[in-house]
């Protein structure tokens, strides 16, 4: 078995379990106070490769059946600095930022989608998009700027 939790998207903890023909396998993780805590239960008679998420050495441990636990410091992840000139495809690749950008569009321009994966997204920025919106309000611009720049100070992806 391979257990590879993938923290992200603003989550600070998660847990899951699954019943296999060998018994129940379970994993839980939480990111708290700069540390990652990972707990795994492996069914009797089986082994698992556990990929420790956000581990500073990208560690994978092979473990046998039983309860296993790890606690380690997580390196601080410096967030990229975004602006209104950052291309849409770069913004869309960051789920935290893109969630904020799409929420602003839903608020100000309901029903009008914004696609950060389209080929033209590589050469389009929010500044350029605003130029194509007749009568774009200053509130729309301010909300987009906030969605993009607030992410610059969020620190670690949890």
């Amino acid at each position: 078995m391979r257990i590879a939790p993938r923290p992200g998207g603003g989550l600070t903890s998660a847990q899951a379990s699954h019943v296999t023909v060998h018994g129940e396998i379970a994993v839980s993780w939480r990111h708290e106070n700069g540390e990652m805590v990972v707990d795994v239960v492996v069914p009797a008679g089986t082994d698992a490769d556990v990929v420790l998420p956000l581990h500073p050495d990208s560690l994978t441990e092979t473990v046998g059946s039983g309860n296993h636990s790890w606690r380690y410091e997580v390196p601080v992840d410096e967030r990229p600095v975004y602006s209104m000139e950052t291309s849409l495809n770069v913004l869309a690749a960051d789920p935290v930022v893109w969630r904020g950008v799409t929420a602003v569009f839903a608020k100000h321009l309901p029903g009008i989608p914004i696609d950060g994966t389209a080929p033209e997204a590589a050469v389009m920025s929010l500044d350029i998009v605003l130029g194509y919106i007749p009568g774009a309000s200053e509130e729309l611009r301010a909300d987009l700027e906030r969605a993009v720049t607030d992410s610059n100070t969020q620190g670690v992806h949890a």
Side-chain angles (χ1 to χ4, degrees):
M1 286 178 270
R2 181 171 192 267
I3 301 170
R6 300 206 43 195
L11 292 178
T12 58
S13 65
Q15 61 184 16
S17 64
H18 181 74
V19 177
T20 72
V21 295
H22 301 284
E24 185 176 48
I25 187 165
V27 61
S28 67
W29 63 265
R30 66 186 180 280
H31 183 250
E32 59 185 24
N33 303 320
E35 288 189 325
M36 181 65 70
V37 178
V38 179
D39 296 307
V40 172
V41 178
V42 179
T46 63
D47 294 330
D49 291 327
V50 181
V51 179
L52 296 173
L54 306 176
H55 193 280
D57 299 325
S58 301
L59 190 62
T60 298
E61 296 260 347
T62 300
V63 297
S65 60
N67 297 328
H68 306 277
S69 187
W70 295 266
R71 178 182 288 268
Y72 49 92
E73 287 188 34
V74 177
V76 175
D77 179 19
E78 294 297 325
R79 298 220 9 111
V81 176
Y82 301 118
S83 72
M84 293 292 287
E85 291 80 34
T86 304
S87 65
L88 294 179
N89 66 337
V90 170
L91 296 176
D94 186 321
V96 173
V97 173
W98 197 244
R99 189 171 31 256
V101 169
T102 56
V104 170
F105 267 79
K107 172 185 171 186
H108 290 276
L109 304 163
I112 299 178
I114 182 166
D115 185 358
T117 62
E120 60 273 11
V123 295
M124 298 280 288
S125 68
L126 290 172
D127 268 342
I128 293 171
V129 170
L130 285 177
Y132 287 107
I133 300 173
S137 70
E138 285 303 313
E139 182 185 3
L140 170 58
R141 172 175 282 285
D143 285 352
L144 284 171
E145 286 176 352
R146 211 171 4 265
V148 170
T149 59
D150 281 358
S151 72
N152 295 335
T153 60
Q154 288 183 2
V156 173
H157 289 285

